[in-house]
Amino acid sequence: MARAILIVLDSVGCGGAEDAHLYGDEGADTLGHIAQGCADGRGDREGLRNGTLALPNLIRLGLAHAYEVSTGQPLVGAAKPAMTGGRYGYGVERSQGKDTPSGHWEIAGCPVAFEWGYFTALDNSFPPDLVAAIIREGDIPGILGNKHASGTAIIEELAEEHIRTGKPICYTSVDSVLQIAAHEEHFGLDRLYALCREVRRLVDPLRIGRVIARPFVGSAETGYSRTGNRKDFAIPPAGETILDRLAAVGRAIVTVGKIGDIFAHRATGEEIKPYGNAAMFEAALTALDQLPDGGFCFVNLVDFDTEYGHRRDVPGYAAALEAFDAMLPRLEARLRPGDLAVITADHGNDPTWPGTDHTREHVPILAFGPGIAAEPLGRRESFADIAASLAQWLGIGPVGPGRAW
């Protein structure tokens, strides 16, 4: 019986979507602009990397082909092979928004049919009645921030006041999100999680996609840094996903990274959540080694987004892509006859783009495994085509509105 592994390279978009102008993202292109930056020297950093973007394994599997089909332009610095090592194409998001839940849910076969709620005011972003409820229900002396902000920047700005007053740092962005940062030692990690659960309940009527706990450590003398204990409290998907179907028929499921948080821990099987792309990739390899016939492993590699996209770090993003590329042969070596591996993304986060937010983009789709012939997948009109294809491969019946390739 076939097995499958799905890896989401968080934020590795491959060219602006047709409706990108509605999101202020016309011209954004995460992969293309990183490649261009590497070619012209903006991707160089002493001791980290230099030169053109080197992704030989992803290129062999069809990434440059997928990019060119998506954008109509060649990927700068990439020599396309005459034949690819698998199927390649790109996906177009049907759901509204450009955030993690909508992208992942649609990948899993459940496009978002409703409009997310947002906190649009740049300052005093949260309604006064919500702020009052957070303070009351969370049993806290008040909140700090209450604005649109970069997570790292607002922690640097307000960490000392947070430690002095005990008030957590609350902020948002153009995404449907309310983030709460607090010091693991001075405020307490369990207390932060408990507060986020209360806030999750409070923002449910507003259709806010995620409440995110952002713990950090450090001091004014040593500097502050976020830890790997982030936790997302998401709305559960509004309909059936491939995870639900697999669980219903008794298949083994392993989810790596923040997949459990994104799907509100519904049908997410064995959840493994190490810190960092390399550790998550290692966990995925171990899971694949132990995955029984008919099983499914769903992986999110978040560092591209959180560490480099939001921080507008072209060299860091390029180095992370190259590190993933170098690990790929180890995944290919573990695939058995009949296995299917799919690599995709959930949205863009162009590190050359103004601001610090996600970008509305197409996503690459690479599908490969032993005996899977090279074949163009072309333009897929929904990310849900991925779920439909995986469901067909695993023999569990149709899932979602997508069209299997």
Side-chain angles (χ1 to χ4, degrees):
M1 189 183 296
R3 308 182 306 165
I5 180 169
L6 171 60
I7 301 177
V8 178
L9 309 183
D10 201 307
S11 85
V12 184
C14 62
E18 287 73 12
D19 60 357
H21 63 283
L22 300 176
Y23 298 83
D25 294 331
E26 187 172 15
D29 179 359
T30 299
L31 183 60
H33 286 161
I34 291 170
Q36 181 62 58
C38 290
D40 64 23
R42 288 177 293 137
D44 294 351
R45 181 176 295 157
E46 186 176 356
L48 180 66
R49 69 163 313 281
N50 61 76
T52 57
L53 185 63
L55 305 175
N57 295 302
L58 286 165
I59 299 301
R60 172 175 51 82
L61 292 171
L63 182 63
H65 290 73
Y67 178 82
E68 189 164 325
V69 173
S70 170
T71 65
Q73 302 292 327
L75 184 64
V76 173
K80 281 194 322 180
M83 292 288 291
T84 66
R87 302 175 184 178
Y88 63 89
Y90 71 96
V92 180
E93 187 168 9
R94 282 177 45 177
S95 304
Q96 297 184 50
K98 52 179 181 177
D99 198 9
T100 298
S102 58
H104 280 76
W105 295 358
E106 187 166 329
I107 288 167
C110 182
V112 177
F114 59 86
E115 184 174 352
W116 296 103
Y118 297 92
F119 300 112
T120 56
L122 297 182
D123 292 299
N124 295 315
S125 301
F126 309 124
D129 59 340
L130 175 60
V131 172
I134 291 172
I135 294 169
R136 181 181 67 252
E137 300 300 321
D139 191 23
I140 53 177
I143 68 170
L144 302 175
N146 192 5
K147 62 182 179 180
H148 282 230
S150 158
T152 53
I154 201 169
I155 288 172
E156 288 297 326
E157 176 191 351
L158 297 173
E160 291 181 49
E161 186 177 356
H162 157 68
I163 292 169
R164 179 174 57 81
T165 65
K167 298 176 180 179
I169 303 167
C170 299
Y171 60 103
T172 188
S173 69
V174 298
D175 296 322
S176 182
V177 65
L178 195 161
Q179 306 200 56
I180 306 178
H183 199 285
E184 285 196 1
E185 297 162 1
H186 292 278
F187 191 85
L189 187 60
D190 289 341
R191 186 182 177 201
L192 174 60
Y193 291 161
L195 174 61
C196 287
R197 291 187 187 96
E198 284 297 321
V199 175
R200 171 72 270 169
R201 179 179 61 81
L202 293 172
V203 300
D204 276 350
L206 303 178
R207 302 186 312 282
I208 300 302
R210 289 181 295 166
V211 174
I212 304 178
R214 289 286 198 177
F216 65 93
V217 294
S219 66
E221 293 73 28
T222 63
Y224 299 100
S225 59
R226 297 193 295 197
T227 75
N229 292 319
R230 163 184 170 161
K231 188 181 286 290
D232 295 28
F233 299 83
I235 294 177
E240 184 187 46
T241 70
I242 189 171
L243 293 169
D244 295 315
R245 179 68 62 80
L246 286 163
V249 299
R251 298 291 184 88
I253 301 168
V254 180
T255 52
V256 181
K258 64 177 184 176
I259 298 297
D261 291 346
I262 295 166
F263 289 87
H265 308 284
R266 193 179 84 193
T268 46
E270 180 187 355
E271 296 182 6
I272 307 170
K273 197 176 181 183
Y275 184 53
N277 277 0
M280 286 186 280
F281 189 83
E282 293 297 330
L285 293 182
T286 300
L288 189 60
D289 287 342
Q290 300 170 357
L291 195 66
D293 288 348
F296 179 56
C297 182
F298 194 173
V299 185
N300 172 279
L301 299 182
V302 73
D303 286 2
F304 303 109
D305 186 53
T306 58
E307 299 300 317
Y308 310 112
H310 286 302
R311 299 187 187 193
R312 297 303 187 242
D313 181 352
V314 173
Y317 207 133
L321 285 169
E322 290 169 340
F324 172 74
D325 185 88
M327 293 187 289
L328 262 178
R330 297 175 58 215
L331 168 64
E332 294 179 272
R334 282 169 161 80
L335 297 175
R336 305 172 187 166
D339 287 352
L340 172 65
V342 177
I343 295 174
T344 189
D346 52 343
H347 49 72
N349 198 342
D350 186 341
T352 72
W353 206 244
T356 60
D357 295 310
H358 297 153
T359 43
R360 177 81 169 183
E361 297 186 39
H362 298 154
V363 300
I365 301 173
L366 307 178
F368 56 96
I372 296 177
E375 180 184 336
L377 300 175
R379 174 187 172 98
R380 313 305 301 191
E381 296 296 339
S382 171
F383 296 179
D385 286 7
I386 296 170
S389 303
L390 288 165
Q392 178 175 280
W393 193 270
L394 292 169
I396 58 172
V399 173
R403 182 172 59 87
W405 53 68

